[in-house]
Amino acid sequence: MTERVIVIGSGPIRIGQGIEFDYCSVHCVWALREAGFEAIIINNNPETVSTDFDTSDRLYFEPLTMEDVLHIVERERPLGVIVQFGGQTAINLALPLYEAGVRILGSSPDSISLAEDRERFDQVLLELGIPKPPGRTVTSARGAEEVASEIGYPVLVRPSWVLGGRAMEIVYSRDELRSYMTYAVDVSPVAPILIDKYVLGREVEVDVIADGEICVLPGIMEHIERAGVHSGDSMAVFPPQNLSPSVIDQIVRTSTDLAKRMDVRGLMNIQYVVADDVAQVLEVNPRASRTVPYLSKITGIPMIKLATYAILGKSLRDQGYEGGLQPTPPLIAVKSPVFSFTKLKGVDIGLGPEMKSTGETMGIETDYSRALYKAMVASGLDVQTGGALLATIADHDKSESAAIIRAFADLGFTIYATEGTARFLNARGITATPVGKISEPSPNLLDLIRNGQVDVLINTLSTDKQTEREGVQIRRASVEIGIPCLTSLDTARALSMAIASRASGHPFDVRAVSDYLP
Amino acid sequence: MPKNPDIKRVLVIGSGPIIIGQAAEFDYAGTQACQSLREEGVQVVLMNSNPATIMTDLDMADRVYIEPLTVEFAERVIARERPDGLLPTLGGQTGLNLATQLAEQGILERYGVRLLGTTLPSIRMAEDREEFRALMRRIGEPVPDSWIVESEEALRDIANAGIWPLIVRPAYTLGGTGGGIACDQDQLMEIGCGGLSASMRHQVMIERCLLGWKEIEYEVMRDANDTCITVCNMENFDPMGVHTGDSIVVAPSQTLSDKEYQLLRSASLNIIRSLQIEGGCNVQLALDPHSFAYNVIEVNPRVSRSSALASKATGYPIARVAAKIAVGLRLDEIPNAVTGKTLACFEPALDYCVVKIPRWPFDKFVHADRTITTQMKATGEVMAIDRSFEAALMKAVRGLEIGVFGLAGKRTNELSDVRIEAGIATPTDERLFIIAEAFRRGMMVEEVYAFSKIDPWFLRKVQRLVTMETRLRIEAGAIANLVDSPTESDPTAALIREAKALGFSDRQIAANTGIAEKEVRKLRKALGIVPVYKIVDTCAAEFEAKTPYYYSCYETEDESWVSPSEAELAATSAAKGESDER
């Protein structure tokens, strides 16, 4: 007699929950069938492979609400329901289903809520001695100010009920915090706000598979943009390029400890920020994440299959894996986000803690800058090996920007910059032609962009309101004219490296993914 | 004709990253194509830059390349793998554009790669506005007045002609990037210039706008033997002026007379034949609601978002069949996987109603312009199946995950009457909820029609749903009494049954009666009001279906399949389940 398992899909594609969860759901179904179970899928997205009637043993084309799912559970009487592969949509059903008497396979609803309940999670970190940026939950505007002045600005603020970074902001001063509390959110005891110290560092993320005994880390991904840019909007590289062995060791140890303590069965995603050679935990997601398909392919480790078998009770050791970080294949893979800004009028394209990208591409190579080039070209960025660069750099970014802009100048780019930036660059021996701000008479920088005289725009986000208002216009102009606009210096540095790899004249090769793997 | 034996190795190009206008549908199409080709013993070389896809899985194709989708990198893949053929019609506009460039630059010829399926001249004919219009004129299919524009001066000349409104469509773009509707000279210049720069060919088409006409789509298939079928037709809830990707869509069409249905079906078959498409094709048509006049709007000579929807709506796997046609098989040689008895030349029949609603990103982009026009803004979509339009609509709405479980929008009840009228006239993501609110305030179907031009048939359905809200509110007391002593024969029980058949969720019944959702559920079960499951079988139960693909509805007959050995299990665990219910 075949036992049945229900897999909850991820619903419609939206920003923050894309095609990757269809990949995860489908692979879970395939693994279940391979393991001799009857796999049943529930989903309502007609674009997907999971709703292909060939994929599962039974497909229910139904809304992913508690009522609709429960009807199917009652009819099918499955061994249990798997919720960790359908993104936040599925994981949100864990607790209500459990409360209705349905067995959740994989990490338990309690383990899921441990990851999602801020207070309980902080307690776990404390208990295990795992560092995290200081911060607290507040229920009033005054409480927010107190906590912020205690931990020190800048702080990262967000409503506790929000997922995927909505309404999340980095706040640099008390005035900004006041305005955020007044305009951006309604704070109250039932709608608390999270305030955390914003740690300027490198963001790193891992997806781990655990079975209650051991914890397998297929790989570590390093974000190219510094902390503060949403992980879905960051470029990322595998294997990490800038982490010390000590940090890697901390990450492996912390991830393993967390998986064990939280009794993870299946997948979990953990995000870290690394500063001063210390890896601090930012957040955990008790489910398969966006990066699982990408990591599965470049490591050759069938992550969803391992996780599904682990959920069904087959240990990872029995599946041929030992705990810890797995051997790194001889390749470098860069993931690049893709935006749909041309389609959305009035949307500011500046990157921040709120996710804005709709998709992603990957570039695989054996050399980092060439992988960057492939990923950027694949993402639709018009990567020119020469031309003109326009730089408008916020004051707090100026000193760091010099080396990056110099790299563009060395590649033969003509540099245009706003008055202040130009003066700053010239003083450092970088020839930059000053152009007027938007508020100044024509021809100003907006005209320069619209006339097609700019090939790359670097516009870092300012905390000054007037400058920022102009920044929005400049960035939109770049979208309309179709030139790359980089709002993070890290992306700009990556682009200069990519251009240099192209300009070297060394031709690019292609290889099937399997040819990279040992 | 059996499969062409010369084709041993085929390159399939995917659609690249997910962007607005190109979502998961091409992963579905590409994955089906890989499976379908490998079934025929063909080796598949796959190229896509999107690592999140299933099609780029290492065991989905024989060779997987995650490389940029540019001519440079595609040429290297071809040089390395030396495929015999290239299947260009499964990777959306991105894949098609790349294949076209590879052909035009002589790369395919240099490496001896054949373009499979629809030929390049056919693709060009369908994609190039002018050639397409000339063809339509030759075969007697009407097209709207239009002009091809390649400069700003030409835009000004058209503005001087004084025909408004006009629709601007850039050539060779995705999801209508850079398009829009212009009602005066300023708008025309703005949208037109944007379109020129968005177009791969610096070309836009300006067209008389058929605002208020019905928008209908047909998914049609054709093989090399000139056998053609319609897989299904679909009707847009929103009339002309809204991108079909941003429109609520219903399948099959609901407001067409048989004469209208046949008129448009014949036109679609006429078009796919004249284009000599070998594979799937999507035909978009506009129909004047007041006469039998229609216009052909556009044709997509490839697998599309609409074909994915049509596949799921009917159970007919368009991409899978298109891949087989591309390697030489005919429709009458390809078995239908759902029934296992019929062939792919069998037109599907539907005994249910399908509704698709787009999922927009305005919850993330609160400052974005929420107006819906000819430029697509949705990132995804949900589909729902039920026995009636009403129930399918309600299922789709609650599937959107926008915090709405019925037709009561988030803050629509706070809008002034003036804003309501404006909200009905201007399409936005909230229009459906605003229309429902208008009915709640007593507006007539005729008034809503006058503002929206949405077919009164659809409007009456929405009105019927609003009426049910009212009836539930009026009967709240009776329902509360029923909670205390459930009686199946009570007329109030019939009301609940009716609400469920109309697609009302327990949560929505709860919201309208003030009874807790859990209580509604308990009451319902006590009254025996539970869903049954029906099968999507492509043939309206004419044959026994093999593939189990289900949807729920509140009727009596259950078509769901449970094997005998499992029926036993069900009985034992049913007892356990009841005790778990608490």
Side-chain angles (χ1 to χ4, degrees), chain A residues 291-356:
Chain A
T291 41
V292 166
Y294 149 80
L295 207 53
S296 300
K297 280 164 204 171
I298 53 184
T299 59
I301 297 172
M303 294 169 67
I304 303 290
K305 187 171 155 182
L306 289 189
T308 304
Y309 274 97
I311 289 168
L312 296 172
K314 186 170 182 184
S315 77
L316 289 164
R317 283 209 179 92
D318 284 351
Q319 297 185 62
Y321 286 83
E322 283 303 323
L325 188 61
Q326 303 302 301
T328 306
L331 59 80
I332 293 176
V334 169
K335 180 206 85 164
S336 179
V338 177
F339 303 88
S340 298
F341 292 134
T342 50
K343 310 277 167 63
L344 297 163
K345 275 190 185 165
V347 170
D348 179 20
I349 70 169
L351 298 188
E354 276 203 49
M355 184 165 164
K356 295 179 177 178

Side-chain angles (χ1 to χ4, degrees), chain A residues 5-11 17 21-22 24-26 28-29 32 40-44 50 60 62-66 68-70 72-73 80-94 97 102 104, chain B residues 401:
Chain A
V5 173
I6 292 182
V7 179
I8 310 279
S10 58
Q17 196 162 303
F21 298 111
D22 194 49
C24 296
S25 309
V26 167
C28 175
V29 163
L32 285 169
I40 295 155
I41 188 132
I42 312 175
N43 199 6
N44 64 349
S50 62
Y60 285 88
E62 290 285 302
L64 296 170
T65 69
M66 184 56 192
D68 298 286
V69 169
L70 206 50
I72 297 165
V73 171
V81 176
I82 297 185
V83 294
Q84 59 177 268
F85 299 118
Q88 206 58 41
T89 297
I91 213 88
N92 287 347
L93 289 171
L97 282 174
V102 179
I104 303 297
Chain B
E401 296 177 55

Side-chain angles (χ1 to χ4, degrees), chain A residues 139-202:
Chain A
T139 51
S140 70
R142 192 201 287 164
E145 285 181 37
E146 279 170 18
V147 171
S149 62
E150 181 193 314
I151 61 179
Y153 291 93
V155 292
L156 190 66
V157 285
R158 65 196 141 141
S160 65
W161 42 269
V162 150
L163 298 152
R166 238 187 88 203
M168 193 191 277
E169 261 183 48
I170 298 166
V171 164
Y172 290 85
S173 66
R174 197 169 72 171
D175 287 349
E176 275 180 52
L177 182 62
R178 279 186 180 160
S179 121
Y180 175 86
M181 300 302 286
T182 315
Y183 300 111
V185 290
D186 294 319
V187 61
S188 76
V190 289
I193 301 287
L194 306 180
I195 308 228
D196 291 299
K197 173 83 185 164
Y198 167 64
V199 178
L200 181 68
R202 242 166 235 296

Side-chain angles (χ1 to χ4, degrees), chain A residues 1-2 4 10-15 19-20 22-23 26-27 30 38 44-49 51-54 57-65 67-68 70-72 74-75 77 89 98-101 163-166 293-294 297 300 338-347 354-356 358-362 364 373-374 377-378 480 502 507-517, chain B residues 17-20 23-25 27-28 31-32 49-54 56-58 60 63-68 70 72-73 76-77 80 174 177 190 308-309 312 315 320 338 359 361 363-365 367-369 375-377 379-383 385 395 398-401 500 505-506 521 524-525 531 533 547-552 554 558 560-562 565-566 569 573-574 577-578 580-582:
Chain A
M1 185 169 63
T2 321
R4 307 158 175 194
S10 58
I13 300 234
R14 67 208 92 158
I15 289 170
I19 189 173
E20 57 276 2
D22 194 49
Y23 173 95
V26 167
H27 274 272
W30 285 343
E38 258 189 24
N44 64 349
N45 182 344
E47 300 168 341
T48 56
V49 180
T51 54
D52 187 345
F53 51 78
D54 278 344
D57 288 294
R58 278 197 287 293
L59 159 67
Y60 285 88
F61 213 109
E62 290 285 302
L64 296 170
T65 69
E67 178 185 340
D68 298 286
L70 206 50
H71 281 148
I72 297 165
E74 281 166 359
R75 145 168 224 93
R77 306 284 174 199
T89 297
Y98 174 73
E99 282 169 354
L163 298 152
R166 238 187 88 203
Y294 149 80
K297 280 164 204 171
V338 177
F339 303 88
S340 298
F341 292 134
T342 50
K343 310 277 167 63
L344 297 163
K345 275 190 185 165
V347 170
E354 276 203 49
M355 184 165 164
K356 295 179 177 178
T358 52
E360 62 192 18
T361 59
M362 181 162 75
I364 314 178
Y373 177 80
K374 278 190 178 178
V377 167
E480 269 123 46
R502 179 73 191 190
F508 276 80
D509 194 16
V510 295
R511 244 196 264 180
V513 181
S514 51
D515 293 349
Y516 280 104
L517 299 174
Chain B
I18 304 294
I19 48 174
I20 291 175
E25 62 270 18
D27 190 27
Y28 165 57
T31 302
Q32 276 211 332
S49 58
N50 185 344
T53 50
I54 293 163
T56 53
D57 220 49
L58 304 188
M60 196 37 84
R63 305 280 288 162
V64 174
Y65 284 84
I66 301 183
E67 299 285 352
T70 65
E72 179 190 350
F73 287 98
R76 285 178 199 280
V77 171
R80 225 181 142 101
L174 309 165
T177 305
E190 188 197 329
L309 181 65
K312 299 297 166 64
R320 188 186 174 81
V338 170
R359 176 64 159 78
D363 51 338
K364 287 277 181 189
F365 299 131
H367 299 299
D369 174 7
Q375 180 164 306
M376 185 171 164
K377 292 178 176 174
T379 54
E381 58 192 26
V382 296
M383 183 183 106
I385 316 174
K395 268 190 191 171
R398 69 175 179 267
L400 284 169
E401 296 177 55
K500 292 306 283 184
S505 59
D506 287 351
R521 180 181 181 82
R524 217 166 32 70
K525 297 189 94 179
Y533 291 84
T547 304
Y549 170 9
Y550 302 107
Y551 65 95
S552 68
Y554 282 83
D558 197 304
S560 184
W561 166 91
V562 178
S565 64
E566 275 136 9
L569 167 76
S573 56
E578 287 310 318
D580 286 349
E581 191 69 33
R582 284 195 293 270

Side-chain angles (χ1 to χ4, degrees), chain B residues 449-464:
Chain B
Y449 172 72
F451 287 121
S452 67
K453 300 289 182 236
I454 293 171
D455 193 279
W457 187 90
F458 290 121
L459 296 174
R460 274 194 293 272
K461 299 289 176 182
V462 173
Q463 191 184 38
R464 194 166 162 213

Side-chain angles (χ1 to χ4, degrees), chain B residues 155-220:
Chain B
L155 281 175
R156 263 185 216 102
D157 291 342
I158 292 169
N160 291 337
I163 302 168
W164 308 106
L166 293 169
I167 189 160
V168 182
R169 293 169 192 266
Y172 284 87
T173 61
L174 309 165
T177 305
I181 293 167
C183 298
D184 58 42
Q185 176 156 358
D186 288 350
Q187 286 178 357
L188 180 66
M189 296 312 292
E190 188 197 329
I191 300 168
C193 293
L196 284 172
S197 56
S199 164
M200 212 167 89
R201 301 230 162 143
H202 203 70
Q203 191 185 81
V204 295
M205 185 165 84
I206 313 284
E207 205 171 76
R208 188 189 143 199
C209 178
L210 304 168
L211 273 181
W213 287 32
K214 293 181 185 183
E215 190 165 346
I216 315 284
E217 289 179 83
Y218 278 74
E219 286 299 322
V220 282

